[in-house]
Amino acid sequence: MRRFEFVEGSSSKFWSPELKDSTFIVTYGRIGTAGQRKEKVFPDAQSASREYERKVAEKLREGYLEVTSGDAPPAPAPVAAPTAEPLPVLPPRVRARVPTAQQVEHAAQALTALESQLGERSWQVARQARRARRALRLLGGADPSPVRPVLDALMGRVVEPPGKPRLPLRLALGLLAELDVAAFVRATQQWKGAASAPTPLRAVTREVEALGDPELALRLGVLLAERPGLRGSSEEGWRHRWEGLKPSLEAHLRTAGGSLREHLSAIDAGGDAPLSRRLAQMQG
């Protein structure tokens, strides 16, 4: 127990503080006597510790001298760490179901038909992509093995060299959004490092590593690749989907010590005007 004494003129007294959990105890009186004992109970150990330190400082200002070093006051009981804020729950991209063999076959045929349309007019490609997307939606978010070879071959058409028919990135991501995220991961492995990859594609591919979460990267990529003002697209729908994704992105980046604004600012638009516009909308 620490002990403080004040000896001056006719005064000769001592003061000894002590902490026991949330109780602050003081023994004081004339030197040479047992003194008196007082106890004060506080709501918690932290409050008692603050009072202990306050009174010690007060006695030192009054001229008391510590005559025994004693033990330092016991550390207050550790404060329980606040419960981590639960991460926002992402709504499912598709309704889960077990596809039939016929639905799987139909999806593979729709993808094959889409690949055969590449090089035709853009509206024809977009129309067949919508058909393929509806067929994939019936797979209930699965990634069935009979569909994979056709799908992977089609994803390879996204990075065809200039002059050869390509599958637009926005259409490719629309297809992948109907399947298990494993299909997106396979596609990004194909796209990574492709010499002919356009700027938006490089940005989407980098997001898989930058975020460390393929599901978030896929959803963000779909929004980044959607061209503003495109016929058949809805800006209101785009904003609604962005507002739905934003809380999950913010929470994910916050746990890694970052922020959404910093993350979006680090995405290189590479002079691509539509991508720059989408990034500006996300940061607005």
Side-chain angles (χ1 to χ4, degrees), residues 112-121 124-125 127-128 165:
T112 301
L114 173 57
E115 186 171 13
S116 69
Q117 287 282 320
L118 298 181
E120 301 295 331
R121 293 180 180 273
Q124 292 175 301
V125 176
R127 181 180 63 184
Q128 184 56 43

Side-chain angles (χ1 to χ4, degrees), residues 114-147:
L114 173 57
E115 186 171 13
S116 69
Q117 287 282 320
L118 298 181
E120 301 295 331
R121 293 180 180 273
S122 59
W123 65 266
Q124 292 175 301
V125 176
R127 181 180 63 184
Q128 184 56 43
R130 288 194 295 271
R131 291 172 177 168
R133 187 167 182 173
R134 286 195 295 268
L136 292 176
R137 191 170 300 152
L138 295 176
L139 302 182
D143 181 27
S145 54
V147 173

Side-chain angles (χ1 to χ4, degrees), residues 27-76:
T27 305
Y28 64 98
R30 289 186 61 82
I31 295 174
T33 68
Q36 302 178 54
R37 178 185 174 96
K38 283 190 177 181
E39 297 184 3
K40 186 175 181 180
V41 179
F42 288 82
D44 50 57
Q46 286 71 36
S47 299
S49 180
R50 285 194 294 269
E51 179 67 5
Y52 179 106
E53 297 297 341
R54 188 184 71 81
K55 294 299 289 185
V56 167
E58 179 183 296
K59 292 300 179 183
L60 290 173
R61 286 195 301 271
E62 291 175 357
Y64 279 76
L65 297 176
E66 186 167 5
V67 295
T68 55
S69 57
D71 296 326

